């Protein structure tokens, strides 16, 4: 592996991060993707666009989100100082709105009035439905029937916001299949519809564009931790499904070599069981959904269904930039199991009065493992990227099944 | 370089008729039935055979071909077995061009060089890989051409004049025009639109133009055959296999009968018009 001067210059003009990324899509979509790239590149340097985006961040989303010192968790763990980047306080309850807002403004500039989105946990779907309501756009959200069952409140929210939720029954009826259907629908509506991909994956320019829109998390966190502690943090931790909240937090810190960066994948029932969603830990490079990245797959290149208690992490791939950062060893990727996430979910609720989503509960589970072993002046920032209201029914069900009702 | 594709289109030109390209998925509903289906295709009237390489996540395919892919995978189909199927077909047919259609990941995992070597040995003539646009030509297109395989590109209604040269560069064998903006088998193609599109393609390339996606009946195939060099039918064929998957002999007989009807439509198209 060659060394690099900066981890922040990717992708190249073909959309590659090392060997990952690219544009592996049907010809029908290519002209659109190229047009999107042109428009998005112009938006990046357009002060008018940036000003409009910043205005919505402040007045609609409620940014900056606080960097909160989790005093009781810190005392409980007895080691590192744990800070939460509170993106669960955003309007709609997760980091997903950062990206939807940005992409909706790009769609507006392209003159597209109809938005397509895929969703797993429903957070991205809700965020997409929200910005569509705000910008008077039509919204069609694809969601696996398995996830519709797991995340009912979010389905109701999307419908209330005026979106059409299309149930997807193919395959495992989860996020991967929702993305397949969204892509198929997009192929048919290519000329009029804009596809807001919810994570740092898909064909170029999506991984870079979504990262840019989520980087507001890391940019704020850097400034906030400097204000609070007068120095950079020692460790960053975030959960990873596709990896958008993690990339948003990590990217502004990638060239700060003193900062240890850890991504936590969904370990499901445990990596050895094969029932997990940890593509970096348990997968290998392949091509799906428009990009080359690590994928859960068999020896014939067939995609294996992921498993996670968290609908938002239940995806057999990961963003290509994460795949590259993994190979470059700039970011460490670990995993937390369903049970560990459930424990962390309860711990955070009881000690901090914050009910986290199951997704960041995976990140917290890892924090509870490492923080006790770290010195008291070690500064750890974890992205609390979503709130857990949507997970209540599922969590209560799981706890009851384990004979431990709340 | 195999010449089967060029030879076949040359003969079709001599006969002043369009060709019929038939798609079936390798291993659907099982390997044995699939081989029987394949062996009977030329006699039933298929001029070119397109064999789908099953994939779990066929992004550009509608419900019928998705289901056919999953049936094949469930019955144990793999890429290696797909190549084996072609090899066994070739033992009895030296002339009918065989084109493999599918998605890149199984090939990438098989290993590009190994795959190309084995495909040539098995008697494959060309490849259609849906998720490899010209922007990714270094992955498989250029190595395939070096090995003597045709790399058949899809042109679509969204491919404008500015982009067309890029799509046609490195295309060989024939050009596959996708007649609808959408996935396979979900809409019917509009004949007038097809005529205009074929004319546009013909201005830009000397390669034969085949038209597919949305051709379901002998009448539609005949209409396409009047204006294009070949008509591709897939979904309608695969649906017959699905209906009779529990009675393999019936599936084979009915599929071949349907193809004979399609072939009659295609062959009579230019004389009856």
């Amino acid at each position: 592996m060659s060394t690099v001067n900066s981890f922040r210059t990717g992708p190249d003009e073909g959309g590659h991060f090392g060997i990952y990324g690219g544009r592996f899509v049907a010809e029908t979509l290519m002209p659109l993707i190229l047009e999107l790239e042109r428009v998005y590149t112009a938006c990046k340097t357009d002060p008018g666009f940036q000003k409009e985006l910043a205005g919505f961040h402040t007045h609609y989303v409620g940014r900056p989100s606080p960097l909160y010192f989790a005093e009781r968790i810190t005392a409980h763990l007895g080691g590192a100082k744990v800070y939460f980047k509170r993106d669960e306080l955003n309007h709609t309850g997760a980091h997903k709105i950062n990206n939807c807002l940005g992409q909706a403004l790009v769609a507006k500039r392209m003159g597209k009035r109809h938005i397509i989105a895929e969703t797993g946990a429903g957070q991205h779907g809700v965020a997409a439905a929200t910005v569509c309501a705000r910008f008077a756009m039509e919204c069609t959200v694809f969601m696996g029937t398995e996830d519709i069952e797991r995340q009912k409140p979010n389905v109701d929210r999307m419908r209330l916001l005026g979106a059409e939720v299309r149930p997807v029954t193919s395959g495992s009826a989860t996020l991967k299949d929702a993305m397949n259907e969204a892509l198929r629908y997009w192929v048919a509506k290519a000329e009029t519809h804009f596809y807001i991909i919810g994570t740092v994956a898909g064909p170029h320019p999506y991984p870079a564009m979504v990262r840019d829109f989520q980087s507001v998390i890391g940019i704020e966190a850097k400034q906030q931790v400097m204000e609070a502690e007068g120095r950079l943090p020692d460790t960053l931790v975030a959960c990873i499904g596709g990896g958008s909240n993690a990339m948003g937090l990590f990217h502004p810190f990638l060239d700060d070599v003193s900062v240890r960066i850890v991504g936590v994948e969904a370990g499901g029932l445990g990596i050895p069981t094969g029932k997990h969603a940890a593509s970096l830990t348990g997968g290998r490079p392949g091509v799906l959904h428009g990009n080359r990245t690590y994928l859960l797959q068999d020896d014939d290149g067939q995609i294996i269904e992921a498993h996670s208690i968290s609908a938002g992490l239940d995806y057999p791939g990961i963003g290509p930039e994460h795949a590259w950062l993994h190979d470059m060893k700039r970011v460490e990727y670990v995993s937390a199991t369903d049970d560990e996430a459930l424990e962390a979910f309860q711990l955070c609720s009881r000690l901090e009065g914050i009910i986290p989503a199951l997704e960041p509960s995976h990140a917290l589970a890892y924090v509870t493992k490492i923080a006790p072993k770290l010195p008291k002046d070690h500064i750890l920032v974890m992205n609390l990227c979503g709130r857990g209201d949507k997970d209540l029914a599922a969590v209560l069900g799981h706890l009851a099944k384990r004979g431990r009702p709340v | 370089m195999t010449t089967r594709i060029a030879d076949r289109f040359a003969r079709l030109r001599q006969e002043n008729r369009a060709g019929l390209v038939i798609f079936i998925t390798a291993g659907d509903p099982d390997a044995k039935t699939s081989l029987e289906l394949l062996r009977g295709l030329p006699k039933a009237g298929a001029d070119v055979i397109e064999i789908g390489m099953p994939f779990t996540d066929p992004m550009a395919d509608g419900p019928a071909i998705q289901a056919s892919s999953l049936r094949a995978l469930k019955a144990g189909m793999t890429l290696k077995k797909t190549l084996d199927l072609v090899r066994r077909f070739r033992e009895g047919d030296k002339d009918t061009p065989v084109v493999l259609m599918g998605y890149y990941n199984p090939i990438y995992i098989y290993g590009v060089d190994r795959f190309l070597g084995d495909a040539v040995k098995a008697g494959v003539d060309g490849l259609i890989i849906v998720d490899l646009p010209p922007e990714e030509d270094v992955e498989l297109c250029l190595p395939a051409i070096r090995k003597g395989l045709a790399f058949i590109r899809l042109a679509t209604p969204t491919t404008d004049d500015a982009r067309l040269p890029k799509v046609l560069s490195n295309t060989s064998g024939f050009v596959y025009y996708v007649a609808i903006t959408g996935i396979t088998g979900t809409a019917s193609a509009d004949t007038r639109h097809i005529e205009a599109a074929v004319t546009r393609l013909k201005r830009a390339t000397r390669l034969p133009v085949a038209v597919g996606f949305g051709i379901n009946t002998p009448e539609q195939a005949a209409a396409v055959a009047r204006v294009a060099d070949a008509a591709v039918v897939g979904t309608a064929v695969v649906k017959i296999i699905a209906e009779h998957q529990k009675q393999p002999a019936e599936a084979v007989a009915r599929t071949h009968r349907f193809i004979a009807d399609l072939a009659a439509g295609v062959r009579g198209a230019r004389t009856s018009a």
Side-chain angles (χ1 to χ4, degrees), chain A residues 226-244:
Chain A
M226 291 303 287
E227 279 163 19
E229 296 281 352
R231 68 179 181 89
L232 289 172
D234 299 294
T235 301
L236 301 176
V237 180
C239 65
I240 300 201
S244 71

Side-chain angles (χ1 to χ4, degrees), chain A residues 87-146:
Chain A
D87 256 52
E88 104 282 8
L89 289 176
N90 292 342
H91 178 41
T92 72
H95 69 291
K96 293 292 187 188
I97 189 87
N98 304 330
N99 168 49
C100 285
L101 195 54
Q103 287 199 49
L105 292 176
V106 174
K108 215 171 98 181
R109 272 174 175 58
M110 292 173 78
K112 310 265 182 181
R113 308 302 311 173
H114 199 134
I115 298 296
I116 305 167
E118 84 295 335
T119 198
Q123 292 303 99
H124 174 58
V126 166
T130 298
V131 297
C132 285
R134 177 60 186 77
F135 297 117
M137 292 168 171
E138 301 277 314
C139 187
T140 308
V141 181
F142 291 85
M143 188 172 188
T145 48
E146 170 86 2

Side-chain angles (χ1 to χ4, degrees), chain A residues 136-265:
Chain A
M137 292 168 171
E138 301 277 314
C139 187
T140 308
V141 181
F142 291 85
M143 188 172 188
T145 48
E146 170 86 2
D147 290 338
I148 287 179
E149 195 55 44
R150 289 196 273 192
Q151 312 274 260
K152 269 215 165 79
N154 274 345
V155 177
D156 295 336
R157 276 187 196 110
M158 285 184 267
R159 290 190 171 136
L160 194 64
L161 290 161
E164 181 200 358
V165 180
R166 292 213 184 179
V168 175
T169 52
S170 59
S172 54
T174 60
L175 184 52
K176 163 183 89 100
D177 311 287
M179 193 146 179
N180 284 337
E181 280 310 316
L183 282 164
R184 289 180 184 124
Y185 186 75
W186 194 28
V187 166
K189 309 277 181 182
E191 281 161 280
T192 50
H193 288 42
F194 187 101
Y195 182 15
I196 300 188
I197 294 183
T199 192
V200 285
H204 178 64
Y206 281 98
M209 178 170 68
V210 176
R211 172 199 72 197
D212 292 348
F213 288 136
Q214 291 295 0
S215 288
V216 65
I217 300 171
I219 292 167
E220 287 175 7
K222 203 168 190 176
Q223 198 185 340
Q224 289 165 323
V225 77
M226 291 303 287
E227 279 163 19
E229 296 281 352
R231 68 179 181 89
L232 289 172
D234 299 294
T235 301
L236 301 176
V237 180
C239 65
I240 300 201
S244 71
N245 91 83
M247 194 53 72
L249 176 65
F250 297 169
H251 196 260
F253 291 94
L254 287 176
D255 286 339
D256 299 310
V257 289
S258 67
V259 182
R260 178 187 174 201
I261 305 181
V262 186
V264 185
E265 296 191 287

